[in-house]
């Protein structure tokens, strides 16, 4: 079986392929870039699910999509589902500015994967608690990686190589749940 990951984000693809490798799964994962519909919702899973439902009308092979967001406690969950737009507009520096002199720097990264096999949709979610650093650190990864420190580490995601990020990351957690499901049921 060949499984397609529909994403324009090469970093996400590398992370998830890394998880498949770490778990010793032989299944081949290929990246496919197809425009996704993104609905507005507070819920990351609903966004991924809707994109998968829409894509399932056009794609006739097993595939999955993933959506993620960074929820910052002091900002009442912002940017959450708007993370992509916020990253493209105010970016990492804008988030740091919003948190200037703010003591509560707690944040959660959420990842939702929607897997489509034989017209059925299966959802998997991963969450990683952590905090927002005072300044950007590290040059690896993408997006908000330079300012997110997962609980249990002192390094930001951007200071970690892919294998270390996968030990902590929201995406790796969701991917592991999907792999477990695939191995058991498909
Ligand atoms: P997307 O809509 O799933 O592409 O993700 C929304 C935005 O959240 C992305 O553009 C990134 O800026 C950010 N993001 C999602 N996952 C991660 C991650 O693992 N590290 C850093 N930023 C991320």
């Amino acid at each position: 079986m060949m499984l397609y990951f529909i994403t324009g984000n090469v970093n996400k693809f590398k992370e998830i392929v890394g998880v498949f490798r770490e778990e010793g799964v032989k299944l081949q994962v290929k990246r496919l870039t197809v425009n996704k519909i993104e609905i507005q919702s507070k819920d990351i899973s609903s966004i991924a699910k809707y994109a998968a439902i829409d894509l399932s009308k056009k794609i006739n092979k097993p595939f999955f999509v993933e959506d993620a967001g960074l929820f910052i406690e002091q900002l009442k969950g912002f940017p959450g589902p708007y993370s992509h737009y916020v990253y493209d507009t105010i970016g990492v520096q804008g988030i740091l500015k919003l948190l200037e002199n703010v003591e509560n720097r707690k944040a959660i990264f959420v990842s939702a994967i929607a897997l489509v096999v034989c017209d059925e949709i299966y959802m998997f979610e991963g969450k990683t608690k952590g905090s927002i650093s005072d300044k950007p650190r590290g040059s690896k990864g993408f997006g908000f990686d330079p300012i997110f420190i997962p609980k249990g580490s002192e390094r930001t995601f951007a200071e970690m190589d892919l294998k270390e990020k996968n030990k902590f990351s929201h995406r790796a957690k969701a991917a592991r749940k999907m792999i477990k499901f695939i191995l058991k049921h498909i």
Side-chain angles (χ1 to χ4, degrees):
M1 181 174 128
M2 176 88 79
L3 187 58
Y4 291 85
F5 180 14
I6 298 174
T7 180
N9 187 326
V10 180
N11 288 291
K12 285 186 175 186
F13 178 72
K14 283 185 189 158
E15 286 179 19
I16 288 198
V17 167
V19 180
F20 272 81
R21 206 172 296 137
E22 283 154 31
E23 296 294 313
V25 184
K26 295 252 159 58
L27 195 75
Q28 250 201 306
V29 184
K30 273 201 160 189
R31 190 166 77 95
L32 206 61
T33 40
V34 181
N35 277 345
K36 284 190 294 173
I37 282 189
E38 209 162 288
I39 57 154
Q40 280 206 352
S41 167
K42 281 188 197 153
D43 177 34
I44 297 289
S45 281
S46 302
I47 298 171
K49 193 172 182 179
Y50 192 90
I53 290 170
D54 180 60
L55 286 167
S56 68
K57 294 173 197 152
K58 305 170 207 163
I59 296 167
N60 221 348
K61 42 198 176 197
F63 74 87
F64 64 95
V65 291
E66 189 260 4
D67 205 83
L70 176 64
F71 295 74
I72 299 173
E73 191 172 281
Q74 181 72 21
L75 305 179
K76 299 183 164 44
F78 180 84
Y82 310 111
S83 294
H84 196 139
Y85 182 69
V86 169
Y87 179 76
D88 287 347
T89 51
I90 64 170
V92 161
Q93 290 299 343
I95 291 292
L96 289 179
K97 186 106 192 130
L98 290 173
L99 291 179
E100 228 166 43
N101 302 318
V102 169
E103 227 175 87
N104 176 10
R105 308 190 71 86
K106 282 186 196 162
I108 298 181
F109 252 128
V110 178
S111 161
I113 292 178
L115 168 72
V116 179
V117 183
C118 301
D119 288 333
E120 294 287 341
I121 299 188
Y122 307 95
M123 299 299 304
F124 309 93
E125 210 176 72
K127 288 184 184 178
T128 296
K129 289 184 182 170
S131 61
I132 303 297
S133 60
D134 292 329
K135 51 181 187 344
R137 291 194 333 238
S139 55
K140 299 183 186 103
F142 69 101
F144 296 111
D145 277 349
I147 55 168
F148 185 80
I149 305 166
K151 208 172 166 184
S153 174
E154 289 186 353
R155 283 203 287 274
T156 66
F157 272 164
E159 291 176 302
M160 299 179 177
D161 60 20
L162 198 135
K163 209 171 165 188
E164 191 180 0
K165 182 179 174 185
N166 274 350
K167 274 192 204 151
F168 293 98
S169 100
H170 47 307
R171 184 163 303 105
K173 286 174 189 163
R176 272 186 217 107
K177 286 183 189 169
M178 172 173 70
I179 288 169
K180 221 172 162 183
F181 174 85
I182 290 173
L183 294 177
K184 199 166 172 197
H185 298 287
I186 296 173

